[in-house]
Amino acid sequence: MKSRFTTPYLAVCLALVMNLQSRTEAAEPATLLKQRSMLAGDTELLVAKNGIKLTMKDKGYALVSTAPRWQLRLINLSEKIYFDTDPKKWVPREQFAASMYRSTNFRSLKTVKSEATTLQGLPAMLMHMAGDQYPQGKSLGKWQKLAVASAEYWGLKSADINPGAAEIIAKVFSMPSSGYLPLQLKGLNHKGRKLDELTLVSVSKVSCSAADFQTGKDYRPVKTEEEVAANGNRGSLLEDMTAP
């Protein structure tokens, strides 16, 4: 009796099995952080050993950096364009707005002491930080009162996170450079007002593959960062930050 399982049929089955196996092997554990930033709005940060992807949902942008080069890709989600740049030389537009139009410069905070802890189940380093200090008894001006006085800053503690990738996210959120991936920052200004600059909303354990960090085939590269920053009717990142 002749078998109905012909050589071409077996070849197709074998190819499907190998493809499924390769997809399974390509999957890796990852962490999805949902955060709320005073600068970037509501964001989703996908963190894996070989890459990070920050999606700025409110603004229509994404930032991606992957191993082995850890180059930074800036993506305009609405226009479907992107620009690759050196993360070490990159200064985000949010940071321009933070230094020029805001009294609270969190990047200038200095660590006084730190301790290992957890935040929503994640291993974290809690850094107690101090901001600009003024002589006691001195009458403070308006901007000095609004300046950050102290803060508690949580960073994700993991040997799997590339330090350069962590610094990219710190720049976007205008967080202090600490070597840790920013999770949350709560502070006080010199008037005693609470500053919820960065809030960790939720943590999810997920799986991801290289495809999660790739730009779709319908996206096209552009020659300058300014082209990416122009987001159709939503204006530029700088305009977003300085809007009344």
Side-chain angles (χ1 to χ4, degrees):
M1 181 177 179
K2 187 177 180 179
S3 173
R4 60 188 178 88
F5 298 106
T6 64
T7 299
Y9 178 82
L10 291 174
V12 171
C13 290
L14 181 60
L16 290 174
V17 170
M18 292 179 65
N19 185 48
L20 179 60
Q21 183 178 5
S22 66
R23 289 185 180 183
T24 301
E25 292 174 350
E28 63 173 306
T31 303
L32 180 64
L33 307 177
K34 292 188 177 181
Q35 294 166 284
R36 182 168 299 115
S37 162
M38 290 298 293
L39 284 177
D42 289 331
T43 64
E44 291 186 354
L45 177 58
L46 182 63
V47 183
K49 183 177 181 179
N50 293 311
I52 60 166
K53 180 177 182 179
L54 177 69
T55 304
M56 302 166 66
K57 300 172 61 179
D58 293 344
K59 299 184 179 301
Y61 296 92
L63 292 83
V64 176
S65 185
T66 57
R69 295 179 61 196
W70 294 101
Q71 189 176 32
L72 175 60
R73 173 162 291 184
L74 310 170
I75 305 171
N76 185 316
L77 299 172
S78 61
E79 301 295 328
K80 294 190 174 181
I81 56 177
Y82 64 88
F83 177 73
D84 293 332
T85 188
D86 182 348
K88 293 181 180 180
K89 299 178 180 178
W90 180 65
V91 179
R93 291 171 178 258
E94 290 91 345
Q95 185 136 341
F96 285 140
S99 61
M100 291 173 61
Y101 297 97
R102 306 176 79 221
S103 58
T104 47
N105 181 11
F106 293 94
R107 292 282 285 178
S108 67
L109 286 167
K110 304 298 182 184
T111 301
V112 176
K113 64 177 182 176
S114 59
E115 59 190 275
T117 185
T118 60
L119 184 65
Q120 296 198 32
L122 294 176
M125 184 63 69
L126 172 56
M127 293 157 279
H128 303 276
M129 311 193 87
D132 296 329
Q133 302 299 308
Y134 304 104
Q136 292 187 357
K138 177 184 176 181
S139 179
L140 301 183
K142 178 181 179 181
W143 287 95
Q144 291 172 324
K145 291 179 181 178
L146 295 177
V148 60
S150 62
E152 292 190 333
Y153 180 32
W154 290 260
L156 181 58
K157 184 181 180 182
S158 173
D160 291 338
I161 297 176
N162 178 272
E167 179 60 16
I168 289 172
I169 304 303
K171 285 182 179 181
V172 174
F173 291 149
S174 194
M175 295 287 100
S177 297
S178 65
Y180 300 103
L181 190 78
L183 291 176
Q184 181 167 280
L185 187 146
K186 305 292 183 182
L188 290 171
N189 65 16
H190 285 279
K191 293 180 66 176
R193 179 182 176 184
K194 292 182 179 180
L195 305 171
D196 294 327
E197 185 67 14
L198 180 64
T199 301
L200 180 61
V201 177
S202 67
V203 177
S204 302
K205 295 297 183 181
V206 298
S207 62
C208 68
S209 67
D212 292 302
F213 301 96
Q214 294 172 355
T215 308
K217 293 182 179 180
D218 53 341
Y219 283 70
R220 61 181 177 86
V222 293
K223 295 182 178 180
T224 67
E225 181 180 345
E226 286 73 21
E227 293 176 78
V228 173
N231 195 13
N233 294 329
R234 302 173 96 169
S236 70
L237 291 176
L238 184 58
E239 289 170 348
D240 288 343
M241 291 299 100
T242 58

